Amino acid sequence: MKDKVLILNQDFSAIAVCSVHKAFLLVYLDKAEMVTKSEEQLRTITKVYPVPSVIRLQRYVHVPYYGIALSRHNIMRRDNYTCQYCGTVKNLTLDHLLPRSRGGGSNWLNLVTACSRCNTRKGDRTPEEAGLKLLRKPIKPSLQYFLKMHLNLYNQDWGTYLGVKE
């Protein structure tokens, strides 16, 4: 089973995503309760168990927030694997809005996904100087942002707990 399960803290805030097997184990050991179950079932020789879709931990877990790691994969994921100048999905690279040679750092608000053509066209200039316009202004994402953005890849039952309107 490759399905994922949303883990909620005791206060119903989303804290993580895990495998069905780990979620089932947490429920079976009474460390979590099943909030929503999927239509699938886990079968053993003697019993049939429902497969969890959303579970809630029995005790509150303090999770220190370090934010989403700044990585090439996460930048492209935030930008939906699309060039932020022309909208293409081929030959993608990362681009510094304010070039590093001019003091621009590598951070969430200065990095965007760009195709190699647009990145070369921009060169060592800002987008305004190169005559390029951003499709979407870069933001620093949160866990909820990533989960909401990719909700269609996961289970629709998660929407209630991530603040997504049906």
Side-chain angles (χ1 to χ4, degrees):
M1 273 183 209
K2 295 181 182 178
D3 291 340
K4 299 291 182 185
V5 178
L6 179 66
I7 300 177
L8 303 176
N9 216 338
Q10 191 180 26
D11 64 354
F12 287 92
S13 60
I15 58 171
V17 175
C18 72
S19 68
V20 169
H21 294 294
K22 182 175 181 178
F24 179 76
L25 190 62
L26 287 170
V27 171
Y28 184 76
L29 294 174
D30 231 10
K31 295 184 183 231
E33 67 175 315
M34 192 177 325
V35 176
T36 309
K37 58 185 172 185
S38 72
E39 296 172 5
E40 297 180 41
Q41 296 177 333
L42 287 175
R43 297 178 186 273
T44 65
I45 295 173
T46 58
K47 285 192 169 188
V48 176
Y49 297 98
V51 173
S53 172
V54 178
I55 63 170
R56 184 181 77 123
L57 299 175
Q58 294 287 15
R59 292 194 300 168
Y60 184 83
V61 177
H62 175 70
V63 181
Y65 181 70
Y66 297 113
I68 302 293
L70 180 67
S71 68
R72 177 183 198 83
H73 174 72
N74 285 340
I75 295 286
M76 290 190 180
R77 190 172 168 197
R78 175 200 67 189
D79 295 339
N80 204 23
Y81 300 95
T82 306
C83 174
Q84 294 302 292
Y85 300 117
C86 69
T88 188
V89 295
K90 295 182 179 177
N91 301 324
L92 297 176
T93 63
L94 292 185
D95 180 45
H96 288 78
L97 296 175
L98 179 62
R100 290 190 331 191
S101 63
R102 296 166 95 184
S106 293
N107 59 54
W108 284 106
L109 303 178
N110 195 42
L111 286 168
V112 294
T113 304
C115 67
S116 55
R117 185 171 163 250
C118 290
N119 204 350
T120 303
R121 180 177 162 205
K122 181 178 162 289
D124 195 25
R125 301 176 287 178
T126 64
E128 294 80 25
E129 292 170 350
L132 296 169
K133 196 170 194 173
L134 283 171
L135 298 176
R136 203 172 57 203
K137 185 179 176 185
I139 61 164
K140 183 177 180 179
S142 64
L143 174 65
Q144 276 78 8
Y145 175 81
F146 269 135
L147 291 174
K148 283 180 195 176
M149 204 167 116
H150 298 284
L151 186 62
N152 60 340
L153 301 177
Y154 299 111
N155 196 316
Q156 296 299 319
D157 296 335
W158 299 6
T160 306
Y161 306 102
L162 298 174
V164 177
K165 295 179 183 173
E166 302 273 332

